[in-house]
Amino acid sequence: MRALIVDDSRSMRSILRRMVAGLGFAEIDEAEHGAAALAQVDECPPELVLVDWNMPVMGGQEFITELRKQRAYDKIKVLVVTSEASPRIVIDALKAGADEYAMKPVTQDVISDKLALMGLA
């Protein structure tokens, strides 16, 4: 399966890459903001996107909103992985079209549980 990790932090992308690789994702792409991620999705759609909320150029909310406008990508599962703890942000993420939400710092077990909830485990 293919995953796309979208985060402006190179170290966070690396951590998440190791986690999802350990969960069986063989193909993992990365993007440092939502605009770059949309271009990658258009090129090779993943089954899963892990996306940060706060990023330069295009943040998580705008990325998810743009992704969900395209019916061809309805089956892509979106997991927001962010340090934002506000209930309002969680609601906004789910309204935008995220499937699940995880708070940083995350563990591989948390990612695994979220994938199971989304039917990807």
Side-chain angles (χ1 to χ4, degrees), residues 55-104:
M55 296 177 288
V57 183
M58 178 186 283
Q61 184 172 19
E62 187 178 356
F63 166 79
I64 296 166
T65 300
E66 290 302 313
L67 181 75
R68 293 305 187 211
K69 285 180 182 177
Q70 301 180 47
R71 304 292 293 165
Y73 302 143
D74 282 351
K75 293 186 180 185
I76 294 175
K77 299 297 184 184
V78 176
L79 171 60
V80 174
V81 181
T82 185
S83 57
E84 290 289 341
S86 164
R88 180 80 243 156
I89 301 294
V90 175
I91 291 167
D92 289 346
L94 297 174
K95 280 185 178 180
D99 296 288
E100 279 294 334
Y101 192 96
M103 300 278 297
K104 292 178 185 174

Short mmCIF file of all heavy atoms in Angstrom, two decimals, residues 55-104:
data_model
loop_
_atom_site.label_atom_id
_atom_site.label_comp_id
_atom_site.label_asym_id
_atom_site.label_seq_id
_atom_site.Cartn_x
_atom_site.Cartn_y
_atom_site.Cartn_z
N MET A 55 0.95 24.27 8.41
CA MET A 55 2.09 24.24 7.50
C MET A 55 2.08 25.50 6.65
O MET A 55 1.02 26.08 6.43
CB MET A 55 1.99 23.02 6.57
CG MET A 55 2.05 21.68 7.24
SD MET A 55 1.84 20.31 6.09
CE MET A 55 0.09 20.44 5.69
N PRO A 56 3.25 25.90 6.18
CA PRO A 56 3.29 27.05 5.26
C PRO A 56 2.73 26.66 3.89
O PRO A 56 2.55 25.47 3.62
CB PRO A 56 4.78 27.37 5.18
CG PRO A 56 5.45 26.08 5.47
CD PRO A 56 4.57 25.35 6.45
N VAL A 57 2.49 27.61 3.06
CA VAL A 57 1.99 27.47 1.69
C VAL A 57 0.54 26.99 1.68
O VAL A 57 -0.35 27.71 1.25
CB VAL A 57 2.88 26.58 0.80
CG1 VAL A 57 2.35 26.54 -0.62
CG2 VAL A 57 4.34 27.03 0.84
N MET A 58 0.30 25.77 2.15
CA MET A 58 -1.07 25.24 2.26
C MET A 58 -1.13 24.33 3.47
O MET A 58 -0.43 23.32 3.52
CB MET A 58 -1.47 24.47 1.00
CG MET A 58 -2.87 23.86 1.08
SD MET A 58 -3.32 22.79 -0.32
CE MET A 58 -3.70 24.02 -1.56
N GLY A 59 -1.95 24.69 4.43
CA GLY A 59 -2.10 23.90 5.65
C GLY A 59 -3.00 22.69 5.47
O GLY A 59 -3.56 22.45 4.40
N GLY A 60 -3.14 21.94 6.55
CA GLY A 60 -3.91 20.70 6.51
C GLY A 60 -5.37 20.88 6.16
O GLY A 60 -5.93 20.12 5.37
N GLN A 61 -6.00 21.89 6.73
CA GLN A 61 -7.43 22.09 6.46
C GLN A 61 -7.66 22.37 4.98
O GLN A 61 -8.56 21.78 4.37
CB GLN A 61 -8.00 23.22 7.31
CG GLN A 61 -9.49 23.39 7.13
CD GLN A 61 -10.08 24.38 8.12
OE1 GLN A 61 -9.38 25.20 8.71
NE2 GLN A 61 -11.38 24.30 8.31
N GLU A 62 -6.88 23.26 4.41
CA GLU A 62 -7.05 23.57 2.99
C GLU A 62 -6.72 22.37 2.11
O GLU A 62 -7.43 22.08 1.14
CB GLU A 62 -6.18 24.76 2.60
CG GLU A 62 -6.45 25.26 1.19
CD GLU A 62 -5.61 26.47 0.81
OE1 GLU A 62 -4.86 27.00 1.65
OE2 GLU A 62 -5.71 26.88 -0.35
N PHE A 63 -5.68 21.62 2.47
CA PHE A 63 -5.33 20.42 1.72
C PHE A 63 -6.49 19.42 1.71
O PHE A 63 -6.90 18.91 0.67
CB PHE A 63 -4.07 19.75 2.29
CG PHE A 63 -3.87 18.35 1.78
CD1 PHE A 63 -3.35 18.13 0.52
CD2 PHE A 63 -4.25 17.25 2.54
CE1 PHE A 63 -3.19 16.85 0.03
CE2 PHE A 63 -4.09 15.96 2.07
CZ PHE A 63 -3.56 15.75 0.81
N ILE A 64 -7.03 19.15 2.89
CA ILE A 64 -8.12 18.16 3.00
C ILE A 64 -9.34 18.64 2.21
O ILE A 64 -9.96 17.87 1.48
CB ILE A 64 -8.48 17.91 4.47
CG1 ILE A 64 -7.31 17.28 5.21
CG2 ILE A 64 -9.72 17.02 4.58
CD1 ILE A 64 -7.45 17.29 6.73
N THR A 65 -9.67 19.91 2.34
CA THR A 65 -10.81 20.48 1.62
C THR A 65 -10.63 20.31 0.11
O THR A 65 -11.55 19.89 -0.59
CB THR A 65 -11.01 21.96 1.98
OG1 THR A 65 -11.25 22.05 3.40
CG2 THR A 65 -12.18 22.57 1.24
N GLU A 66 -9.45 20.64 -0.39
CA GLU A 66 -9.17 20.52 -1.83
C GLU A 66 -9.19 19.05 -2.27
O GLU A 66 -9.72 18.72 -3.33
CB GLU A 66 -7.83 21.16 -2.19
CG GLU A 66 -7.85 22.67 -2.09
CD GLU A 66 -8.89 23.32 -2.99
OE1 GLU A 66 -8.99 22.94 -4.18
OE2 GLU A 66 -9.62 24.20 -2.50
N LEU A 67 -8.62 18.17 -1.46
CA LEU A 67 -8.62 16.74 -1.78
C LEU A 67 -10.04 16.21 -1.88
O LEU A 67 -10.38 15.49 -2.82
CB LEU A 67 -7.83 15.97 -0.72
CG LEU A 67 -7.70 14.47 -0.94
CD1 LEU A 67 -6.70 14.18 -2.05
CD2 LEU A 67 -7.28 13.78 0.36
N ARG A 68 -10.87 16.58 -0.93
CA ARG A 68 -12.25 16.06 -0.88
C ARG A 68 -13.15 16.64 -1.97
O ARG A 68 -14.21 16.10 -2.24
CB ARG A 68 -12.85 16.29 0.50
CG ARG A 68 -12.18 15.47 1.60
CD ARG A 68 -12.19 13.99 1.27
NE ARG A 68 -11.70 13.19 2.39
CZ ARG A 68 -11.06 12.06 2.24
NH1 ARG A 68 -10.83 11.57 1.04
NH2 ARG A 68 -10.65 11.39 3.30
N LYS A 69 -12.73 17.73 -2.61
CA LYS A 69 -13.50 18.27 -3.74
C LYS A 69 -13.42 17.36 -4.96
O LYS A 69 -14.27 17.45 -5.85
CB LYS A 69 -12.97 19.65 -4.13
CG LYS A 69 -13.35 20.76 -3.18
CD LYS A 69 -12.79 22.08 -3.67
CE LYS A 69 -13.10 23.22 -2.73
NZ LYS A 69 -12.48 24.48 -3.20
N GLN A 70 -12.44 16.51 -4.99
CA GLN A 70 -12.22 15.64 -6.15
C GLN A 70 -12.76 14.24 -5.85
O GLN A 70 -12.18 13.50 -5.07
CB GLN A 70 -10.72 15.59 -6.48
CG GLN A 70 -10.17 16.98 -6.78
CD GLN A 70 -8.70 16.95 -7.11
OE1 GLN A 70 -8.27 16.12 -7.91
NE2 GLN A 70 -7.94 17.84 -6.52
N ARG A 71 -13.85 13.93 -6.46
CA ARG A 71 -14.55 12.65 -6.21
C ARG A 71 -13.66 11.44 -6.44
O ARG A 71 -13.84 10.41 -5.80
CB ARG A 71 -15.80 12.55 -7.09
CG ARG A 71 -16.79 13.70 -6.96
CD ARG A 71 -17.49 13.77 -5.65
NE ARG A 71 -18.36 12.62 -5.49
CZ ARG A 71 -18.89 12.24 -4.35
NH1 ARG A 71 -18.65 12.92 -3.27
NH2 ARG A 71 -19.68 11.20 -4.27
N ALA A 72 -12.69 11.56 -7.34
CA ALA A 72 -11.79 10.44 -7.63
C ALA A 72 -10.98 10.03 -6.40
O ALA A 72 -10.47 8.91 -6.34
CB ALA A 72 -10.85 10.80 -8.78
N TYR A 73 -10.87 10.93 -5.42
CA TYR A 73 -10.06 10.66 -4.24
C TYR A 73 -10.89 10.36 -2.99
O TYR A 73 -10.38 10.39 -1.88
CB TYR A 73 -9.12 11.83 -3.96
CG TYR A 73 -8.19 12.13 -5.12
CD1 TYR A 73 -7.86 13.44 -5.44
CD2 TYR A 73 -7.67 11.12 -5.91
CE1 TYR A 73 -7.01 13.72 -6.50
CE2 TYR A 73 -6.83 11.39 -6.97
CZ TYR A 73 -6.51 12.69 -7.25
OH TYR A 73 -5.67 12.95 -8.31
N ASP A 74 -12.14 10.04 -3.17
CA ASP A 74 -13.03 9.76 -2.04
C ASP A 74 -12.54 8.61 -1.17
O ASP A 74 -12.80 8.59 0.03
CB ASP A 74 -14.45 9.43 -2.52
CG ASP A 74 -15.23 10.67 -2.93
OD1 ASP A 74 -14.75 11.79 -2.69
OD2 ASP A 74 -16.33 10.50 -3.49
N LYS A 75 -11.86 7.64 -1.76
CA LYS A 75 -11.44 6.45 -1.00
C LYS A 75 -10.13 6.64 -0.27
O LYS A 75 -9.73 5.79 0.53
CB LYS A 75 -11.36 5.25 -1.93
CG LYS A 75 -12.73 4.84 -2.44
CD LYS A 75 -12.69 3.58 -3.22
CE LYS A 75 -14.11 3.25 -3.68
NZ LYS A 75 -14.20 1.99 -4.36
N ILE A 76 -9.43 7.74 -0.51
CA ILE A 76 -8.19 8.00 0.21
C ILE A 76 -8.52 8.31 1.67
O ILE A 76 -9.35 9.16 1.95
CB ILE A 76 -7.42 9.19 -0.41
CG1 ILE A 76 -6.95 8.84 -1.82
CG2 ILE A 76 -6.23 9.57 0.47
CD1 ILE A 76 -6.29 10.00 -2.56
N LYS A 77 -7.88 7.59 2.58
CA LYS A 77 -8.08 7.83 4.00
C LYS A 77 -7.12 8.93 4.46
O LYS A 77 -5.96 8.94 4.08
CB LYS A 77 -7.80 6.55 4.81
CG LYS A 77 -8.72 5.41 4.45
CD LYS A 77 -10.16 5.73 4.76
CE LYS A 77 -11.05 4.54 4.48
NZ LYS A 77 -12.45 4.84 4.69
N VAL A 78 -7.64 9.85 5.27
CA VAL A 78 -6.86 10.99 5.74
C VAL A 78 -6.80 10.96 7.27
O VAL A 78 -7.83 10.99 7.94
CB VAL A 78 -7.45 12.33 5.26
CG1 VAL A 78 -6.67 13.50 5.84
CG2 VAL A 78 -7.47 12.39 3.74
N LEU A 79 -5.56 10.92 7.78
CA LEU A 79 -5.30 10.97 9.21
C LEU A 79 -4.56 12.26 9.51
O LEU A 79 -3.45 12.46 9.02
CB LEU A 79 -4.47 9.76 9.65
CG LEU A 79 -3.93 9.76 11.08
CD1 LEU A 79 -5.06 9.85 12.10
CD2 LEU A 79 -3.09 8.52 11.32
N VAL A 80 -5.18 13.13 10.28
CA VAL A 80 -4.51 14.37 10.71
C VAL A 80 -3.62 14.01 11.90
O VAL A 80 -4.09 13.42 12.87
CB VAL A 80 -5.53 15.46 11.10
CG1 VAL A 80 -4.83 16.68 11.68
CG2 VAL A 80 -6.38 15.84 9.89
N VAL A 81 -2.34 14.35 11.80
CA VAL A 81 -1.38 14.12 12.88
C VAL A 81 -0.78 15.48 13.23
O VAL A 81 0.02 16.02 12.47
CB VAL A 81 -0.27 13.13 12.44
CG1 VAL A 81 0.69 12.89 13.58
CG2 VAL A 81 -0.87 11.82 11.95
N THR A 82 -1.20 16.03 14.36
CA THR A 82 -0.82 17.40 14.69
C THR A 82 -0.68 17.60 16.19
O THR A 82 -1.17 16.78 16.98
CB THR A 82 -1.87 18.38 14.11
OG1 THR A 82 -1.44 19.71 14.33
CG2 THR A 82 -3.22 18.17 14.72
N SER A 83 -0.06 18.69 16.56
CA SER A 83 0.06 19.05 17.97
C SER A 83 -1.13 19.89 18.43
O SER A 83 -1.24 20.22 19.61
CB SER A 83 1.37 19.80 18.22
OG SER A 83 1.43 20.94 17.40
N GLU A 84 -2.03 20.22 17.54
CA GLU A 84 -3.21 21.01 17.88
C GLU A 84 -4.16 20.18 18.75
O GLU A 84 -4.63 19.14 18.33
CB GLU A 84 -3.95 21.46 16.62
CG GLU A 84 -3.21 22.49 15.81
CD GLU A 84 -3.17 23.84 16.48
OE1 GLU A 84 -3.99 24.11 17.39
OE2 GLU A 84 -2.30 24.64 16.10
N ALA A 85 -4.43 20.68 19.96
CA ALA A 85 -5.26 19.94 20.90
C ALA A 85 -6.67 20.49 21.05
O ALA A 85 -7.50 19.89 21.71
CB ALA A 85 -4.58 19.93 22.27
N SER A 86 -6.95 21.60 20.42
CA SER A 86 -8.24 22.25 20.56
C SER A 86 -9.36 21.39 19.98
O SER A 86 -9.27 20.92 18.85
CB SER A 86 -8.21 23.60 19.83
OG SER A 86 -9.51 24.08 19.63
N PRO A 87 -10.43 21.20 20.74
CA PRO A 87 -11.59 20.47 20.21
C PRO A 87 -12.12 21.11 18.92
O PRO A 87 -12.61 20.42 18.03
CB PRO A 87 -12.62 20.54 21.33
CG PRO A 87 -11.83 20.75 22.57
CD PRO A 87 -10.63 21.56 22.15
N ARG A 88 -12.01 22.43 18.82
CA ARG A 88 -12.46 23.14 17.61
C ARG A 88 -11.67 22.68 16.38
O ARG A 88 -12.25 22.50 15.31
CB ARG A 88 -12.29 24.65 17.82
CG ARG A 88 -12.72 25.49 16.64
CD ARG A 88 -14.22 25.67 16.63
NE ARG A 88 -14.75 25.05 15.43
CZ ARG A 88 -15.98 24.61 15.26
NH1 ARG A 88 -16.85 24.67 16.22
NH2 ARG A 88 -16.37 24.08 14.13
N ILE A 89 -10.37 22.47 16.53
CA ILE A 89 -9.53 22.02 15.42
C ILE A 89 -9.91 20.60 15.02
O ILE A 89 -9.98 20.28 13.83
CB ILE A 89 -8.02 22.10 15.79
CG1 ILE A 89 -7.63 23.52 16.15
CG2 ILE A 89 -7.17 21.55 14.66
CD1 ILE A 89 -7.70 24.52 15.01
N VAL A 90 -10.18 19.75 16.01
CA VAL A 90 -10.60 18.38 15.71
C VAL A 90 -11.89 18.40 14.90
O VAL A 90 -12.01 17.73 13.87
CB VAL A 90 -10.80 17.55 17.01
CG1 VAL A 90 -11.34 16.17 16.68
CG2 VAL A 90 -9.50 17.45 17.80
N ILE A 91 -12.83 19.21 15.33
CA ILE A 91 -14.11 19.33 14.61
C ILE A 91 -13.88 19.87 13.20
O ILE A 91 -14.44 19.34 12.23
CB ILE A 91 -15.09 20.22 15.40
CG1 ILE A 91 -15.53 19.50 16.68
CG2 ILE A 91 -16.30 20.59 14.55
CD1 ILE A 91 -16.24 20.39 17.69
N ASP A 92 -13.06 20.90 13.08
CA ASP A 92 -12.76 21.48 11.76
C ASP A 92 -12.12 20.44 10.83
O ASP A 92 -12.43 20.39 9.65
CB ASP A 92 -11.85 22.70 11.88
CG ASP A 92 -12.56 23.91 12.48
OD1 ASP A 92 -13.82 23.90 12.56
OD2 ASP A 92 -11.85 24.86 12.88
N ALA A 93 -11.22 19.64 11.37
CA ALA A 93 -10.55 18.61 10.57
C ALA A 93 -11.55 17.58 10.07
O ALA A 93 -11.54 17.21 8.89
CB ALA A 93 -9.44 17.93 11.39
N LEU A 94 -12.42 17.13 10.94
CA LEU A 94 -13.42 16.13 10.54
C LEU A 94 -14.43 16.72 9.56
O LEU A 94 -14.83 16.05 8.60
CB LEU A 94 -14.09 15.54 11.77
CG LEU A 94 -13.16 14.77 12.72
CD1 LEU A 94 -13.90 14.36 13.98
CD2 LEU A 94 -12.54 13.57 12.03
N LYS A 95 -14.82 17.97 9.77
CA LYS A 95 -15.74 18.63 8.83
C LYS A 95 -15.10 18.80 7.46
O LYS A 95 -15.78 18.71 6.44
CB LYS A 95 -16.17 19.99 9.37
CG LYS A 95 -17.25 19.94 10.40
CD LYS A 95 -17.69 21.35 10.78
CE LYS A 95 -18.82 21.33 11.77
NZ LYS A 95 -19.24 22.68 12.15
N ALA A 96 -13.80 19.06 7.43
CA ALA A 96 -13.09 19.22 6.15
C ALA A 96 -13.01 17.91 5.38
O ALA A 96 -12.87 17.91 4.16
CB ALA A 96 -11.69 19.78 6.39
N GLY A 97 -13.12 16.78 6.09
CA GLY A 97 -13.08 15.49 5.43
C GLY A 97 -12.04 14.52 5.94
O GLY A 97 -11.85 13.45 5.35
N ALA A 98 -11.38 14.85 7.05
CA ALA A 98 -10.43 13.91 7.65
C ALA A 98 -11.20 12.69 8.17
O ALA A 98 -12.34 12.81 8.61
CB ALA A 98 -9.66 14.57 8.77
N ASP A 99 -10.55 11.54 8.12
CA ASP A 99 -11.17 10.32 8.64
C ASP A 99 -10.87 10.10 10.12
O ASP A 99 -11.69 9.56 10.84
CB ASP A 99 -10.70 9.12 7.83
CG ASP A 99 -11.15 9.20 6.38
OD1 ASP A 99 -12.35 9.03 6.13
OD2 ASP A 99 -10.30 9.48 5.51
N GLU A 100 -9.67 10.51 10.54
CA GLU A 100 -9.25 10.34 11.93
C GLU A 100 -8.29 11.46 12.30
O GLU A 100 -7.79 12.18 11.43
CB GLU A 100 -8.57 8.99 12.16
CG GLU A 100 -9.52 7.83 12.34
CD GLU A 100 -10.35 7.91 13.62
OE1 GLU A 100 -9.92 8.55 14.61
OE2 GLU A 100 -11.45 7.34 13.63
N TYR A 101 -8.00 11.55 13.60
CA TYR A 101 -7.20 12.64 14.15
C TYR A 101 -6.31 12.06 15.24
O TYR A 101 -6.79 11.33 16.11
CB TYR A 101 -8.15 13.67 14.75
CG TYR A 101 -7.54 15.00 15.11
CD1 TYR A 101 -7.61 16.06 14.23
CD2 TYR A 101 -6.91 15.20 16.34
CE1 TYR A 101 -7.08 17.31 14.57
CE2 TYR A 101 -6.38 16.43 16.68
CZ TYR A 101 -6.47 17.47 15.79
OH TYR A 101 -5.94 18.70 16.12
N ALA A 102 -5.01 12.38 15.21
CA ALA A 102 -4.08 11.91 16.24
C ALA A 102 -3.23 13.09 16.71
O ALA A 102 -2.83 13.93 15.91
CB ALA A 102 -3.18 10.80 15.69
N MET A 103 -2.95 13.11 17.99
CA MET A 103 -2.18 14.19 18.60
C MET A 103 -0.70 13.81 18.67
O MET A 103 -0.37 12.70 19.07
CB MET A 103 -2.68 14.44 20.02
CG MET A 103 -4.13 14.85 20.09
SD MET A 103 -4.38 16.55 19.79
CE MET A 103 -3.49 17.21 21.16
N LYS A 104 0.17 14.77 18.29
CA LYS A 104 1.60 14.59 18.49
C LYS A 104 1.91 14.82 19.96
O LYS A 104 1.27 15.66 20.58
CB LYS A 104 2.38 15.60 17.65
CG LYS A 104 2.28 15.41 16.17
CD LYS A 104 3.05 16.51 15.47
CE LYS A 104 2.90 16.46 13.97
NZ LYS A 104 3.53 17.61 13.31
#
